[in-house]
Structure formats: structure tokens, C-alpha cells
Amino acid sequence: MKPFFNLFLVSALLFFSTSCSTDSTEDVMEETNQTVVIPQPKSIEIEIMELINAYRISEGLSSLDNNDVIKGQAYSHTDYMVVNNNVSHDYFYSRKTYLENNVGALQVSENVAYGYTSAESVVNAWLNSEGHKQNIEGDYTDFEISAEQNDQGKWYFTNIFIKK
């Protein structure tokens, strides 16, 4: 009985010392109970995707495919940012896990932004930021974008990239 107890104790210690602090229990519960909404694309979203693919092609990279499951995750996060009036990567690991489990994503990254008034301005801002540019130029196969406005008409953006 003692070896079983010791094994249990060691397992529990390992579990609690390696769990990710950014993924709270609330995050997992929220994701589990989430109803995925996939809205129709807006013209600004289509333009952003076209600009990103045109940029990738100009750099000798492959264009990326659209994916409704990614769209649902991007939309949920953008809506979350609008409701909270805060640009963030909150719950990124839940989105990543969801995409791994539901579309076989091997890699996931995202760009977020706030306040830009056109597709060109937000894409240019991302391309002028080294980390965001790396995501745009990354070894990905699919992507999606969500752009939503708050009550004051300010745009929030979530752009998610995956590799299958």
C-alpha cells in the first residue's frame, strides 16, 4: 500500500508543478461549454486576409487557406476583447488546445490589435512589428481573422494562424 501512496504523491507533485498557470480551471470550463459561432465574413476581414496572402506570396511563401473552425475561435476571442474593452491574448492556450483537438493543428499563433480603421493599417502595423510579422511569415497552412467594433466604433482584431 505504501508504494502506491508514494506513486500517487509523486504523480500529484509532478502534475501541480508542471501545470500551466495561464490556463485556469475557469478557462477550461469556459472552453468546454463554449458554443462556437462562425459569423459571415466582413469586407474588412476579407481584405485583411487578401493583404496577408498577397504579402506572403510576394515573399515567396505559400498562401494560407481559410478555416471556419479557426474563424469561430478568432470571433470568440475578439468578442471577449470587445466585452472586456481590453486587447489581450487571454485564454490563448484554450484556443490552441481547441484547434489542436478539432482541426489537428500542430502549431498555433495569433496576432491581436485594436483601434486601426482599415485593413491596410492593421496589416501594416503587424508587418512593422517583428513578432507579429514572424507570425504572418510563419510556416502555417491555414488562418482566419475576426474584426469586431465596440459601442464607440473602435475595431478589435484577432488573427489566428495554424499549421496542420
Side-chain angles (χ1 to χ4, degrees):
M1 183 71 166
K2 189 172 181 175
F4 177 74
F5 178 75
N6 288 341
L7 179 62
F8 174 76
L9 188 59
V10 169
S11 298
L13 180 63
L14 282 172
F15 174 78
F16 288 113
S17 67
T18 60
S19 65
C20 181
S21 62
T22 58
D23 268 346
S24 68
T25 303
E26 294 165 28
D27 185 18
V28 173
M29 292 302 291
E30 180 179 318
E31 191 67 37
T32 303
N33 296 325
Q34 178 183 15
T35 300
V36 178
V37 176
I38 304 168
Q40 291 296 313
K42 297 174 184 66
S43 59
I44 192 170
E45 295 168 338
I46 294 167
E47 190 176 347
I48 290 169
M49 294 189 338
E50 288 172 349
L51 288 168
I52 289 173
N53 270 334
Y55 173 80
R56 286 180 57 88
I57 290 167
S58 76
E59 295 294 309
L61 303 167
S62 62
S63 62
L64 302 175
D65 294 326
N66 305 37
N67 183 301
D68 282 346
V69 178
I70 302 170
K71 176 72 169 186
Q73 292 300 296
Y75 173 76
S76 294
H77 184 61
T78 304
D79 187 53
Y80 169 84
M81 292 191 302
V82 168
V83 166
N84 290 285
N85 196 32
N86 185 38
V87 179
S88 73
H89 292 284
D90 290 356
Y91 306 114
F92 170 76
Y93 290 101
S94 285
R95 288 186 294 289
K96 179 179 184 278
T97 300
Y98 186 90
L99 293 168
E100 289 169 343
N101 293 336
N102 290 280
V103 294
L106 302 173
Q107 291 179 291
V108 180
S109 68
E110 76 180 12
N111 290 341
V112 295
Y114 164 79
Y116 295 94
T117 57
S118 69
E120 187 174 349
S121 65
V122 71
V123 172
N124 285 337
W126 284 331
L127 290 173
N128 287 316
S129 164
E130 194 57 38
H132 296 102
K133 183 177 180 180
Q134 287 176 354
N135 288 343
I136 289 172
E137 294 177 345
D139 182 21
Y140 298 107
T141 56
D142 301 82
F143 75 141
E144 261 300 348
I145 182 79
S146 173
E148 299 296 325
Q149 290 179 295
N150 67 9
D151 292 339
Q152 293 79 41
K154 300 286 185 183
W155 286 100
Y156 286 78
F157 304 90
T158 303
N159 188 195
I160 299 178
F161 302 87
I162 72 164
K163 178 179 183 175
K164 287 198 232 179

